[in-house]
Amino acid sequence: MLKYKKGDMVLLNDEFGHFFAKIDDSFSGNKTGVWLLEAMNSDAAESFDFMFETDDTEYDLIDNDILQNKTGRIEPIKMTSADAGRYLKLKVDLEELYGDVMLPFSISSKCRLDITPRMLLNAIRYFIDSMDRNCVYNFLEYIYVVKTVGKFGDEEKILPEGITEKAEEILCLEDSDIVRFVVNNVSKKPSAVTVEDMFKFEDFLDCHIKSSRYETELKYFPDFIMEKYIDVFSEKAAMMSATDREIGLYRLFTDELSERGNPVALRKKAIGCFGNGNRAYEQDWVACEECFKRLYDMDGDPFTANFLGNLAFYGRVTGKPDYKKAYKYFTIGAFAGFYESNYTMGDMFAYGLGVKKQPYIANKLWTEVYNSTFDDFRQKRFDYEFADAAYRLGRGAEEGIGTEKDMRLAYLYYLQADLAIRKRIECAEWYHDKKLSEEITERLGNVESMLGDKVSHTRDTFSMNFPWLCGQMTAGGRRVEVLYHKIGKDMIKFTMALLEHDGTRAYTANLITVPELAYCDLLDEVNLYCDRPEKFWCMNTGRFVYNHIVFNADYNRHEFYLYDELVAYVKARKYTFRVDRARKAEPTIRFAAVSFEEGGNTYNYICEDDKIHEGDKVIVITSEGEKEVTVESIFVIRQSELIRPLEQYKEIVRKVQD
């Protein structure tokens, strides 16, 4: 019985003939452990499944089934430059050179020959024209030899993935780059290569051979090359950084494919002609509508319906709105969840544009978009329709559309819309944003004048009897972490932040809106000051987590709950939110609240060592000398929030080592 070790190559007998395999573990007798090799001799261990269905086959490796040399291993076939040249020029095949060896799993060669795109093109056409059922295998065999004996110029140059990286790399590669591109793409997954792939490589090679740099004769470019080319410009950055020549080629290809009804090109041309246009296309409402109509007739895509609804609603093409057509398309877009379709249908129901006036439905549609985009905005994804929805809810509250008139609520929504539209303009270029921003600013001014002295742009604090900011933070069912500490005897500071589902700090910011201060912003942390607290209890020291707050009239206190569990309550004379109007970087100080005994009072010490955390044992100085205490919480406050001079605070001496 023969033994083989991992890595040995053997030639096995099979009903189909002989094929190579690599041992993936030591074995003897009929124990299975064969690792079938790819034709490309890659590191991936996969069966050559289009030749053999061998995934689940067990091979009895007895002496008679193994063709071996004296060492018990198959030695690589050494290919000379003369043999390689004859084979690559299709004058001889491997069987003629080396006998009845079905798969060339192990060929070595010291020669390095120049391989041209023309040689690869000739080979592909030869194998396709042969009508051999094994033409794909013959092509893979050829590529394997090319990879073994060929040289491809600068090995450091990176080729595009799937012909999609840069336009110039698609059409302007050197011969050696083209060869490496084909070899690398085939070698990546040989068993997945099909005859259709061979036709694509034939087109690609033919395109390169026929065309000079930036050649624009369309007859030289197959459709899939043109489609890959225009796909390069999907991102705005690619469009902006392209050369004028590349933009010209993009437009040429897009126009040509659009004429043929290519959906990718039709969509790109339609979007390019919409609104402000882009570098390839100027605004052209007629061409935009034509392309979108052709697309919609192909597949009825709701994305396309949403655009067609926009064109009809605003009368982009004719100058006169067509509300009946707009309603038809927006209905399809709305059912598919497109926000613009939803809020614009809300406009139609609000003012009876082509439909019966139904204010309640209008407000409901606006609210759905607002709620759906609220978390996107808090997560700083500003290229969503939050501004549009907040603006419309502001109009609803101002005009009493589907709700009671409420100028404070209208002002709140307008503040949010104003922040959202400014953020969106910074990161995106939506066609109507400038006009929308102007409308929001005008509405803000009108409502502010109605509210009069109820709104202040100079005051930097707002006090309330109910801590409604705590409730505002839980919008959308979010959990909030509160770190609290006492500032003297008359104040407790809450520092609040949103949590993820796993309990970690959320990337999501807090959208805090205080109409009385004309204030709206996204804050990572929110500070609320409980002034002169009469009652305060928390189940944990220094921290609690809640997801809703209620007022308990029986006990006259505000209670914080995490689902059904009471986690804290407070009753204070007032609750104050502070705004830093100047946005100045005021110095902050890191403190540790420590307790001298379990369950005892806490005392604040300056803690500059950022390696000290909640729960650590530390040393402080008392009138009795050094004393070991426990850190109950860590917090940071501004210097202006200190209730006594900074020099009167004591510092933690050191952390007690474990």
Side-chain angles (χ1 to χ4, degrees), residues 455-457 459-462 514-519 577 579 581:
V455 175
S456 172
H457 286 268
R459 219 168 64 233
D460 60 4
T461 62
F462 175 69
V514 184
E516 290 76 8
L517 302 179
Y519 178 84
F577 174 72
V579 175
R581 299 266 184 205

Side-chain angles (χ1 to χ4, degrees), residues 53 141 184 199 233 264 313 396 417 425 455 485 521 534 590:
E53 296 179 359
E141 179 182 85
N184 288 349
F199 280 116
F233 298 92
V264 174
F313 183 83
I425 289 173
V455 175
H485 66 276
D521 206 353
E534 300 173 12
R590 188 173 190 263

Side-chain angles (χ1 to χ4, degrees), residues 317-547:
V317 178
T318 63
K320 183 180 179 180
D322 187 337
Y323 295 127
K324 184 176 180 181
K325 185 184 293 184
Y327 184 77
K328 165 191 169 183
Y329 288 123
F330 279 142
T331 301
I332 296 168
F335 273 114
F338 284 93
Y339 297 138
E340 182 184 3
S341 292
N342 274 285
Y343 70 66
T344 313
M345 284 182 65
D347 295 347
M348 298 176 76
F349 283 114
Y351 302 105
L353 304 175
V355 295
K356 183 179 178 181
K357 190 174 181 179
Q358 300 193 59
Y360 172 76
I361 294 178
N363 199 282
K364 186 174 185 296
L365 288 169
W366 294 338
T367 302
E368 286 177 358
V369 179
Y370 179 90
N371 291 337
S372 297
T373 56
F374 185 79
D375 256 6
D376 291 313
F377 185 69
R378 292 203 300 184
Q379 292 170 23
K380 303 176 184 177
R381 296 199 289 264
F382 300 132
D383 55 340
Y384 278 77
E385 287 87 341
F386 181 71
D388 308 89
Y391 169 60
R392 283 163 170 79
L393 285 177
R395 277 173 22 200
E398 180 186 357
E399 301 172 21
I401 301 174
T403 185
E404 296 294 326
K405 287 187 178 182
D406 186 332
M407 293 305 114
R408 180 186 180 279
L409 183 60
Y411 193 63
L412 180 147
Y413 283 131
Y414 287 147
L415 286 171
Q416 293 180 349
D418 180 61
L419 175 66
I421 197 62
R422 286 187 283 110
K423 294 289 187 182
R424 192 164 77 192
I425 289 173
E426 289 175 7
C427 71
E429 291 184 2
W430 290 26
Y431 176 59
H432 65 289
D433 276 0
K434 184 178 179 181
K435 182 180 179 182
L436 178 60
S437 179
E438 292 171 352
E439 291 177 2
I440 292 170
T441 301
E442 183 180 354
R443 294 265 184 172
L444 265 174
N446 292 340
V447 174
E448 188 174 308
S449 64
M450 296 180 197
L451 292 172
D453 58 5
K454 294 179 181 179
V455 175
S456 172
H457 286 268
T458 57
R459 219 168 64 233
D460 60 4
T461 62
F462 175 69
S463 297
M464 57 203 92
N465 296 322
F466 183 90
W468 51 263
L469 277 182
C470 299
Q472 194 177 99
M473 290 189 61
T474 62
R478 300 301 294 263
R479 292 188 299 163
V480 180
E481 177 187 54
V482 180
L483 303 178
Y484 69 86
H485 66 276
K486 296 178 181 178
I487 302 178
K489 296 180 180 179
D490 296 330
M491 189 172 291
I492 298 175
K493 179 183 178 182
F494 286 178
T495 300
M496 302 178 287
L498 297 176
L499 294 180
E500 299 288 4
H501 295 298
D502 61 1
T504 59
R505 281 289 183 99
Y507 174 72
T508 303
N510 308 282
L511 179 59
I512 300 301
T513 311
V514 184
E516 290 76 8
L517 302 179
Y519 178 84
C520 180
D521 206 353
L522 290 167
L523 304 176
D524 293 325
E525 290 185 341
V526 178
N527 295 320
L528 188 68
Y529 299 84
C530 306
D531 189 17
R532 300 181 187 178
E534 300 173 12
K535 305 174 184 177
F536 178 71
W537 169 84
C538 179
M539 67 185 302
N540 298 312
T541 303
R543 174 184 182 272
F544 64 90
V545 176
Y546 74 98
N547 65 352

Side-chain angles (χ1 to χ4, degrees), residues 103-121:
L103 301 180
F105 285 118
S106 184
I107 288 180
S108 68
S109 180
K110 293 182 179 180
C111 67
R112 288 295 178 265
L113 304 179
D114 288 321
I115 310 294
T116 67
R118 172 63 69 184
M119 292 169 65
L120 293 182
L121 181 61

